[in-house]
Amino acid sequence: MKQFLPSIALFALATLAPMSAEAAGKIVVAYQTDALPSSVAIANGDFAKATGAEIDFRKFNSGADIFAAIAAGDVQVGYVGSSPFAAAVSRGLDVKAFYLASSSGTDEALVVRNGSGIETPADLKGKKLAAAPVSTDHYQLLAVLKQETLSERDAQVFAIPQPDIVAAWNRGDLDGAFVWDPALTELKKTGKVLLTSRQVADRGAPTFTAWVATAAFAKENPAFLKSFAGVVERYSVSFRDDKAAWGPESPNAKTLAGLLGGTPSDQAAALNNLSLIPAKQQATKDWLDGGENSGTAKILKETAEFLKEQKKVSTVLPSYGGFVTADHVKALP
């Protein structure tokens, strides 16, 4: 398993002076290959129009990679999952979640190979399994093993990037893998879903994905983050209220395929697996409001406790409330 981010890198941001969006020049925003309605706004320039800022969007393979870039001072805003989020802040990185992209849904899943002999989670014993390192999928894969009273030693768990997972799967080297799209669509061609992320959450290991900003950037640029969150929410509302505009033949699906890869049909199907959280719900204690008593902070702490138990992090903080804020979603109309 790859080691978690070095502490020295995680503290690097503490020495950086805050910059306003106007003074910062290009603002670097990191995204991943997940199908999200708001990714259309990356391709068509709506984020830049709404914020009035020059934005450099950069694609990453995982949240762990994004946090490494944040720690190096190369990224100010990023789209990440709750497990790498919990790991990074537990090691000293100061970021704030200002908008939740989704909660545990069917957009991430544990897929098992046809003919692998895996029919139930208990059958994972002795099998070769994989997930991206320090990802929500890795966290949930380990959680499934624990739920079945299995350890990593009872199965061969490989923490490797998603492109490597797909390659290993196609070679026949893996029996199962916990993945998100586009890998999820690829693996399902010769496998079946054993458990979705939502099912694993219902079994006691909830996750979320979020847009986060460095604490320094968030302090100096509240207007940028409010406008950014507003764009994400507008596209999410469009998807929830007008499904026809997001079908396999739609311009939106074609735009997502051009940006993220795969086919428009793949992207349309992936969107339907999302579990989006309306901004009004995010602004409650169930999610972003309430500091350490917020639902998001509680998930972060529970995740950190699990990661420490698994010897993936060495420290669990007393509170994770300082890493979430409802200010920007509350400000949305």
Side-chain angles (χ1 to χ4, degrees):
M1 157 111 190
K2 289 183 178 178
Q3 294 295 318
F4 280 78
L5 305 177
S7 297
I8 188 170
L10 291 178
F11 285 107
L13 281 182
T15 64
L16 297 179
M19 294 186 294
S20 67
E22 293 75 18
K26 282 188 179 180
I27 297 169
V28 182
V29 176
Y31 69 100
Q32 298 186 53
T33 57
D34 306 41
L36 295 172
S38 59
S39 292
V40 172
I42 295 175
N44 67 17
D46 272 1
F47 278 117
K49 293 174 187 175
T51 61
E54 187 176 3
I55 305 175
D56 179 7
F57 285 99
R58 299 181 187 175
K59 184 165 66 175
F60 288 77
N61 285 325
S62 71
D65 291 342
I66 289 174
F67 277 119
I70 289 175
D74 296 332
V75 167
Q76 288 78 53
V77 177
Y79 167 77
V80 299
S82 50
S83 181
F85 188 176
V89 297
S90 294
R91 295 295 299 272
L93 192 61
D94 194 5
V95 298
K96 287 186 181 293
F98 65 92
Y99 187 97
L100 298 182
S102 66
S103 61
S104 305
T106 58
D107 54 323
E108 300 174 73
L110 175 54
V111 182
V112 296
R113 180 183 297 281
N114 294 336
S116 65
I118 304 172
E119 300 296 332
T120 70
D123 298 329
L124 295 172
K125 185 174 183 179
K127 302 299 184 179
K128 296 178 180 179
L129 312 171
V134 204
S135 64
T136 53
D137 290 349
H138 192 192
Y139 163 67
Q140 287 200 315
L141 176 58
L142 296 179
V144 170
L145 294 178
K146 182 182 178 182
Q147 290 160 359
E148 298 301 319
T149 65
L150 300 173
S151 71
E152 284 187 83
R153 295 180 180 179
D154 293 318
Q156 296 184 59
V157 178
F158 301 97
I160 54 178
Q162 283 220 136
D164 295 344
I165 290 175
V166 174
W169 180 278
N170 289 335
R171 290 194 304 267
D173 294 342
L174 297 172
D175 299 305
F178 216 126
V179 293
W180 65 89
D181 272 313
L184 178 57
T185 297
E186 181 66 24
L187 269 57
K188 286 196 293 186
K189 293 176 181 178
T190 53
K192 62 183 179 181
V193 171
L194 183 68
L195 289 169
T196 66
S197 176
R198 180 179 298 154
Q199 288 172 318
V200 179
D202 291 342
R203 287 159 58 106
T207 61
F208 61 82
T209 59
W211 286 100
V212 303
T214 69
F217 184 85
K219 181 179 179 180
E220 294 298 314
N221 297 279
F224 175 88
L225 295 184
K226 176 190 172 183
S227 297
F228 192 96
V231 173
V232 181
E233 179 66 7
R234 176 157 55 87
Y235 275 84
S236 296
V237 169
S238 171
F239 174 71
R240 288 195 299 265
D241 294 349
D242 187 10
K243 290 294 174 58
W246 297 85
E249 301 298 323
S250 68
N252 285 324
K254 293 175 182 177
T255 298
L256 288 175
L259 178 70
L260 304 174
T263 67
S265 293
D266 291 340
Q267 296 298 333
L271 287 171
N272 287 321
N273 291 330
L274 290 171
S275 183
L276 302 175
I277 310 168
K280 288 186 178 180
Q281 289 184 23
Q282 294 187 39
T284 68
K285 289 185 178 180
D286 288 342
W287 292 106
L288 290 174
D289 197 26
E292 67 178 309
N293 294 317
S294 67
T296 301
K298 290 178 180 178
I299 291 174
L300 287 173
K301 187 167 186 178
E302 290 167 1
T303 303
E305 289 170 345
F306 178 85
L307 293 174
K308 183 179 180 183
E309 180 183 309
Q310 297 289 319
K311 296 183 174 23
K312 308 304 182 188
V313 297
S314 59
T315 302
V316 175
L317 303 177
S319 170
Y320 288 76
F323 305 112
V324 302
T325 177
D327 291 350
H328 308 294
V329 291
K330 282 183 175 181
L332 296 179

